[in-house]
Coordinates of all heavy atoms in Angstrom, one line a residue:
L63 N 45.2 73.3 8.0 CA 45.4 73.6 6.6 C 45.7 72.3 5.9 O 45.1 71.9 4.8 CB 46.6 74.5 6.4 CG 47.1 74.7 4.9 CD1 46.1 75.5 4.1 CD2 48.5 75.2 4.9
L64 N 46.7 71.5 6.4 CA 47.0 70.2 5.8 C 45.9 69.2 5.7 O 45.7 68.5 4.8 CB 48.2 69.6 6.5 CG 49.5 70.4 6.4 CD1 50.6 69.8 7.3 CD2 50.0 70.5 5.0
S65 N 45.1 69.3 6.8 CA 43.9 68.4 6.8 C 42.9 68.8 5.7 O 42.4 67.9 5.0 CB 43.2 68.5 8.2 OG 42.0 67.8 8.2
Q66 N 42.8 70.1 5.4 CA 41.9 70.5 4.3 C 42.5 70.2 3.0 O 41.7 69.8 2.1 CB 41.7 72.1 4.4 CG 40.9 72.7 3.4 CD 39.4 72.3 3.5 OE1 39.0 71.7 4.5 NE2 38.6 72.6 2.4
L67 N 43.8 70.2 2.8 CA 44.4 69.9 1.5 C 44.2 68.4 1.2 O 44.3 68.0 0.0 CB 45.9 70.3 1.6 CG 46.2 71.7 1.6 CD1 47.7 71.9 1.6 CD2 45.6 72.4 0.3
R68 N 44.0 67.6 2.2 CA 43.7 66.2 1.9 C 42.3 66.0 1.4 O 42.0 65.0 0.7 CB 43.8 65.4 3.2 CG 45.3 65.3 3.8 CD 45.4 64.3 4.9 NE 46.6 64.5 5.7 CZ 46.7 65.1 6.8 NH1 45.6 65.6 7.4 NH2 47.8 65.3 7.4
K69 N 41.4 66.9 1.7 CA 40.0 66.8 1.3 C 39.7 67.5 0.0 O 38.8 67.1 -0.8 CB 39.1 67.4 2.4 CG 39.3 66.8 3.7 CD 38.4 67.5 4.7 CE 38.8 67.2 6.1 NZ 38.1 68.1 7.1
E70 N 40.4 68.6 -0.3 CA 40.0 69.5 -1.4 C 41.3 70.0 -2.1 O 42.3 70.1 -1.6 CB 39.3 70.7 -0.8 CG 38.4 71.4 -1.8 CD 37.4 72.3 -1.1 OE1 37.1 72.2 0.1 OE2 36.8 73.2 -1.8
E71 N 41.1 70.2 -3.4 CA 42.2 70.6 -4.3 C 42.2 72.2 -4.4 O 41.1 72.8 -4.6 CB 42.1 70.0 -5.7 CG 43.3 70.2 -6.5 CD 43.3 69.4 -7.8 OE1 43.0 68.2 -7.7 OE2 43.5 70.0 -8.9
Y72 N 43.3 72.8 -4.3 CA 43.5 74.2 -4.4 C 44.5 74.6 -5.5 O 45.4 73.8 -5.9 CB 43.9 74.8 -3.1 CG 42.8 74.8 -2.1 CD1 42.6 73.7 -1.2 CD2 41.9 75.9 -1.9 CE1 41.6 73.6 -0.3 CE2 40.9 75.8 -1.0 CZ 40.7 74.7 -0.2 OH 39.7 74.7 0.7
D73 N 44.3 75.8 -6.1 CA 45.2 76.3 -7.1 C 46.3 77.1 -6.6 O 47.3 77.4 -7.4 CB 44.4 77.1 -8.1 CG 43.2 76.4 -8.7 OD1 43.4 75.3 -9.3 OD2 42.0 76.8 -8.6
M74 N 46.3 77.5 -5.4 CA 47.4 78.3 -4.8 C 47.4 78.3 -3.3 O 46.3 78.2 -2.7 CB 47.2 79.8 -5.3 CG 48.3 80.7 -4.9 SD 48.2 82.4 -5.6 CE 49.7 83.1 -5.0
L75 N 48.6 78.4 -2.7 CA 48.7 78.5 -1.3 C 49.4 79.8 -0.9 O 50.4 80.2 -1.5 CB 49.6 77.3 -0.7 CG 50.1 77.5 0.7 CD1 49.0 77.5 1.7 CD2 51.1 76.3 1.0
I76 N 48.8 80.5 0.1 CA 49.4 81.7 0.7 C 49.5 81.5 2.2 O 48.5 81.1 2.8 CB 48.5 83.0 0.4 CG1 48.4 83.2 -1.1 CG2 49.1 84.2 1.1 CD1 47.4 84.3 -1.4
F77 N 50.7 81.6 2.7 CA 50.8 81.3 4.2 C 51.9 82.2 4.9 O 52.8 82.7 4.2 CB 51.1 79.8 4.4 CG 52.5 79.4 4.1 CD1 53.4 79.2 5.2 CD2 53.0 79.2 2.8 CE1 54.7 78.8 4.9 CE2 54.3 78.8 2.6 CZ 55.2 78.6 3.6
D78 N 51.7 82.4 6.2 CA 52.7 83.1 7.0 C 53.8 82.1 7.3 O 53.6 81.0 7.9 CB 51.9 83.5 8.3 CG 52.8 84.4 9.1 OD1 54.1 84.4 8.9 OD2 52.3 85.1 10.0
W79 N 55.0 82.6 7.0 CA 56.2 81.7 7.2 C 56.4 81.3 8.7 O 56.8 80.3 9.0 CB 57.4 82.4 6.7 CG 58.7 81.6 6.7 CD1 59.7 81.6 7.6 CD2 59.0 80.5 5.9 NE1 60.6 80.6 7.4 CE2 60.2 79.9 6.3 CE3 58.3 79.9 4.8 CZ2 60.8 78.9 5.6 CZ3 58.9 78.8 4.1 CH2 60.1 78.3 4.5
Q80 N 56.0 82.2 9.6 CA 56.1 82.0 11.0 C 54.9 81.4 11.6 O 54.3 81.9 12.6 CB 56.5 83.3 11.7 CG 58.0 83.7 11.4 CD 58.1 85.1 11.0 OE1 57.1 85.8 10.8 NE2 59.3 85.6 10.9
V81 N 54.4 80.4 11.1 CA 53.1 79.7 11.6 C 53.5 79.1 12.9 O 54.6 78.6 13.2 CB 52.6 78.7 10.6 CG1 53.6 77.6 10.4 CG2 51.2 78.2 11.0
S82 N 52.5 79.1 13.8 CA 52.8 78.7 15.2 C 53.0 77.2 15.5 O 53.9 76.9 16.3 CB 51.6 79.1 16.1 OG 50.4 78.5 15.7
D83 N 52.4 76.3 14.7 CA 52.5 74.9 15.1 C 53.5 74.1 14.3 O 53.6 72.9 14.5 CB 51.1 74.3 15.1 CG 50.4 74.3 13.7 OD1 50.8 75.2 12.9 OD2 49.6 73.5 13.4
M84 N 54.1 74.7 13.3 CA 55.2 74.0 12.6 C 56.1 74.9 11.8 O 55.6 76.1 11.5 CB 54.6 72.9 11.7 CG 53.9 73.4 10.5 SD 53.3 71.9 9.5 CE 52.1 71.2 10.5
G85 N 57.3 74.6 11.5 CA 58.2 75.4 10.7 C 57.7 75.7 9.3 O 57.0 74.8 8.7
G86 N 58.1 76.8 8.8 CA 57.6 77.2 7.4 C 58.1 76.2 6.4 O 57.3 75.8 5.5
A87 N 59.3 75.7 6.4 CA 59.8 74.8 5.5 C 59.1 73.5 5.5 O 58.8 72.9 4.5 CB 61.3 74.6 5.7
E88 N 58.8 73.0 6.8 CA 58.1 71.7 6.9 C 56.7 71.8 6.4 O 56.2 70.9 5.7 CB 58.1 71.4 8.4 CG 57.3 70.1 8.7 CD 57.1 69.9 10.2 OE1 57.4 70.7 11.0 OE2 56.5 68.8 10.5
L89 N 56.0 73.0 6.7 CA 54.7 73.2 6.2 C 54.7 73.2 4.7 O 53.8 72.5 4.1 CB 54.1 74.5 6.7 CG 52.8 74.9 6.1 CD1 51.7 74.0 6.7 CD2 52.4 76.3 6.3
M90 N 55.6 73.8 4.1 CA 55.6 73.9 2.6 C 55.9 72.5 2.0 O 55.3 72.2 1.0 CB 56.7 74.9 2.2 CG 56.3 75.6 0.9 SD 57.2 77.0 0.5 CE 58.3 76.3 -0.6
R91 N 56.8 71.8 2.6 CA 57.1 70.5 2.1 C 55.8 69.6 2.1 O 55.5 68.9 1.1 CB 58.2 69.8 2.9 CG 58.6 68.4 2.4 CD 59.7 67.9 3.2 NE 59.5 67.9 4.6 CZ 58.7 67.0 5.3 NH1 58.1 66.0 4.6 NH2 58.6 67.0 6.6
K92 N 55.1 69.6 3.2 CA 53.9 68.8 3.4 C 52.8 69.3 2.5 O 52.0 68.5 1.9 CB 53.5 68.8 4.8 CG 54.5 68.0 5.7 CD 54.0 68.0 7.2 CE 54.9 67.1 8.0 NZ 54.4 67.1 9.4
A93 N 52.7 70.6 2.4 CA 51.6 71.1 1.5 C 51.9 70.8 0.0 O 50.9 70.5 -0.7 CB 51.5 72.6 1.7
R94 N 53.1 70.9 -0.4 CA 53.5 70.6 -1.8 C 53.1 69.1 -2.2 O 52.8 68.9 -3.3 CB 55.0 70.8 -2.0 CG 55.4 72.2 -2.2 CD 55.1 72.7 -3.5 NE 55.8 74.0 -3.9 CZ 55.3 74.8 -4.8 NH1 54.2 74.6 -5.4 NH2 56.0 75.9 -5.0
E95 N 53.2 68.2 -1.2 CA 52.8 66.8 -1.5 C 51.3 66.7 -1.8 O 50.9 65.7 -2.5 CB 53.1 66.0 -0.2 CG 54.6 65.8 0.0 CD 54.9 65.1 1.4 OE1 53.9 64.8 2.1 OE2 56.1 64.9 1.7
K96 N 50.5 67.7 -1.4 CA 49.1 67.6 -1.6 C 48.5 68.5 -2.6 O 47.4 68.3 -3.1 CB 48.4 67.8 -0.2 CG 48.8 66.8 0.8 CD 48.2 67.2 2.2 CE 48.6 66.1 3.2 NZ 50.1 66.0 3.4
L97 N 49.3 69.6 -2.9 CA 48.8 70.6 -3.9 C 49.0 70.1 -5.3 O 49.8 69.2 -5.6 CB 49.6 71.9 -3.7 CG 49.3 72.8 -2.5 CD1 50.4 73.8 -2.3 CD2 47.9 73.5 -2.7
N98 N 48.2 70.7 -6.2 CA 48.4 70.5 -7.6 C 49.9 70.9 -7.9 O 50.4 71.8 -7.4 CB 47.5 71.5 -8.3 CG 47.6 71.4 -9.8 OD1 48.6 71.3 -10.4 ND2 46.4 71.6 -10.5
D99 N 50.5 70.1 -8.8 CA 51.9 70.4 -9.2 C 52.2 71.8 -9.7 O 53.3 72.4 -9.5 CB 52.4 69.4 -10.2 CG 52.6 68.0 -9.7 OD1 52.6 67.8 -8.4 OD2 52.6 67.0 -10.5
K100 N 51.2 72.4 -10.3 CA 51.4 73.7 -10.9 C 51.1 74.8 -9.9 O 51.4 76.0 -10.1 CB 50.4 73.9 -12.1 CG 50.7 73.0 -13.3 CD 49.6 73.3 -14.3 CE 49.9 72.4 -15.6 NZ 48.8 72.7 -16.6
A101 N 50.4 74.5 -8.8 CA 50.0 75.5 -7.8 C 51.1 76.3 -7.3 O 52.1 75.8 -6.7 CB 49.2 74.8 -6.7
P102 N 51.1 77.7 -7.4 CA 52.1 78.5 -6.9 C 52.0 78.7 -5.4 O 50.8 78.5 -4.8 CB 51.9 79.8 -7.6 CG 50.5 79.8 -8.0 CD 50.1 78.4 -8.2
V103 N 53.1 79.0 -4.7 CA 53.1 79.2 -3.3 C 53.7 80.6 -3.0 O 54.8 80.9 -3.5 CB 53.9 78.1 -2.5 CG1 54.0 78.5 -1.0 CG2 53.2 76.8 -2.7
L104 N 52.9 81.4 -2.2 CA 53.4 82.7 -1.8 C 53.4 82.8 -0.3 O 52.4 82.4 0.3 CB 52.5 83.8 -2.4 CG 52.8 85.3 -2.1 CD1 52.4 86.2 -3.2 CD2 52.2 85.8 -0.8

Side-chain angles (χ1 to χ4, degrees):
L63 169 77
L64 294 172
S65 175
Q66 179 68 12
L67 289 179
R68 291 189 197 101
K69 304 173 193 170
E70 201 163 344
E71 189 170 314
Y72 287 88
D73 301 306
M74 182 173 184
L75 165 64
I76 299 173
F77 76 101
D78 186 343
W79 186 256
Q80 288 132 350
V81 65
S82 59
D83 60 335
M84 68 179 69
E88 179 190 3
L89 174 74
M90 211 166 100
R91 178 178 56 78
K92 290 182 176 179
R94 279 286 193 203
E95 292 172 356
K96 300 171 179 61
L97 283 167
N98 181 321
D99 289 342
K100 296 179 181 178
V103 175
L104 181 149

